Amino acid sequence: MNGSELAARVRARVAEEVRELGHVSLATVLVGDDPASHVYVGYKHKDCTEVGIESIDHRLPADASEAQVLALVRELNADDQVDGFIVQSPVPDQINEARVMEEIDPVKDVDGFSPVNVGRLWLGREGHISATPLGIMEILREYEVQLEGADAVIVGRSEIVGKPMAALLLRANATVTFCHTRTRDMAERTRKADLLVAAAGRAGLIQPEMVKPGATVVDVGITRTPEGLVGDVDKGVVEIAGLLTPVPGGVGPMTRAMLLENTVRAARARRGLLAFD
Ligand code: NAD
């Protein structure tokens, strides 16, 4: 399943909406000097430029206090020129990330990490949803993967991937199972999956014998190796799966595209064109 191609189409759709709205902006907050975070924030600005979204770059030093971060969040909440913003995760240890997420205005919370948006997702109400699972749902829709009644197994239970993925698959009437580090005999469960979403961040965790022939496999994992990026799914799975997302070129580009879409949704909500309940 080609995420890059679909992401290009999402970006074209977003660019059109941005033109209609006139001005849309996304601010990023980067605290400290985590190298991967710098790369991700750089992509976000590049992506914004491509679709005509204004991007605003805020950086704080690695020793910034929680009070400083919260003050910036409040400033962005109040700034009428800012439609949406993200605080890049992870933040340094002295800052309570959950506390920061709580402070973000839910309408501007384009990552969908604030408790209000997480609650809305589980309640089936309108709000912002984490970009990675949202992008996966777009891929599954594009490739017409049957979700109703399907056995879906998610490996990983993080707040940003596993859990919101489960909420969306439940909403689509799949039967959802989580596997995680304490799961006994994971292979027994993954082998039953019509849809397997691997989001553990362990290179090669999903071996061919753990996959049901013909299953749809979504590889969320990203591990940097000297040979480049690798996913959680072993290369041999391509022979067994019916559909598979590659790494790179699968979930990654869709995650990036969905953040842009969420930013447009924030802009629409702020202009009264979309109601969050
Ligand atoms: P995380 O570390 O917060 O969570 C990992 C989850 O996997 C945990 O719930 C843990 O219980 C489970 N897990 C770990 N090892 C396991 C094992 N051996 N067996 C079973 N379960 C195991 O990670 P995350 O933020 O959810 O990200 C997961 C992976 O996806 C990472 O590699 C991350 O880089 C990648 N990711 C990719 C994208 C993308 O756009 N492609 C977006 C977000 C995250």
Side-chain angles (χ1 to χ4, degrees):
M1 293 181 280
N2 189 333
S4 301
E5 211 177 83
L6 183 55
R9 266 184 279 150
V10 173
R11 285 197 299 275
R13 182 171 84 202
V14 168
E16 183 60 41
E17 285 175 283
V18 171
R19 269 193 296 277
E20 278 167 23
L21 287 165
H23 175 261
V24 176
S25 72
L26 172 74
T28 62
V29 177
L30 178 54
V31 188
D33 29 47
D34 178 72
S37 294
H38 275 258
V39 171
Y40 292 143
V41 167
Y43 285 156
K44 286 167 192 179
H45 288 270
K46 178 176 170 286
D47 293 344
C48 281
T49 305
E50 193 184 324
V51 298
I53 293 176
E54 182 198 0
S55 63
I56 304 155
D57 195 1
H58 288 277
R59 306 217 167 187
L60 291 173
D63 62 356
S65 67
E66 185 175 298
Q68 269 177 289
V69 178
L70 290 175
L72 178 53
V73 166
R74 288 188 198 108
E75 199 183 295
L76 294 169
N77 284 343
D79 188 341
D80 205 38
Q81 289 302 306
V82 172
D83 287 307
F85 66 97
I86 62 113
V87 178
Q88 184 66 42
S89 177
V91 290
D93 288 347
Q94 74 274 15
I95 298 158
N96 178 346
E97 193 164 298
R99 176 73 196 86
V100 173
M101 297 304 152
E102 258 173 43
E103 198 67 30
I104 300 176
D105 178 345
V107 176
K108 295 190 177 188
D109 168 37
V110 287
D111 264 340
F113 296 164
S114 77
V116 169
N117 281 317
V118 174
R120 284 170 171 161
L121 169 62
W122 284 99
L123 293 167
R125 286 160 50 177
E126 199 71 54
H128 287 303
I129 300 171
S130 176
T132 300
L134 211 50
I136 293 170
M137 292 304 283
E138 288 267 325
I139 295 175
L140 297 175
R141 194 172 308 126
E142 174 71 15
Y143 286 85
E144 297 178 352
V145 175
Q146 176 64 38
L147 296 176
E148 181 149 337
D151 283 318
V153 173
I154 303 169
V155 180
R157 55 173 165 182
S158 72
E159 308 301 336
I160 68 165
V161 186
K163 286 185 191 171
M165 186 77 253
L168 289 173
L169 290 172
L170 264 182
R171 205 190 265 189
N173 298 316
T175 302
V176 180
T177 303
F178 279 110
C179 292
H180 46 78
T181 43
R182 314 287 167 86
T183 298
R184 276 177 282 162
D185 199 357
M186 193 167 79
E188 193 216 337
R189 294 170 201 278
T190 59
R191 267 197 299 272
K192 295 201 175 107
D194 302 308
L195 169 65
L196 178 58
V197 179
R202 301 281 178 272
L205 177 68
I206 306 299
Q207 291 292 312
E209 64 275 13
M210 297 166 73
V211 176
K212 176 160 130 179
T216 298
V217 180
V218 175
D219 192 354
V220 186
I222 298 177
T223 304
R224 278 161 220 283
T225 72
E227 291 77 44
L229 298 185
V230 295
D232 286 357
V233 176
D234 183 80
K235 288 207 168 4
V237 171
V238 73
E239 310 291 337
I240 314 291
L243 289 166
L244 173 66
T245 59
V247 175
V251 176
M254 282 304 290
T255 297
R256 287 170 59 178
M258 296 319 285
L259 177 67
L260 303 173
E261 180 139 302
N262 280 352
T263 304
V264 166
R265 293 181 80 250
R268 293 174 64 81
R270 293 186 66 239
R271 288 157 181 72
L273 301 168
L274 171 68
F276 283 2
D277 46 19

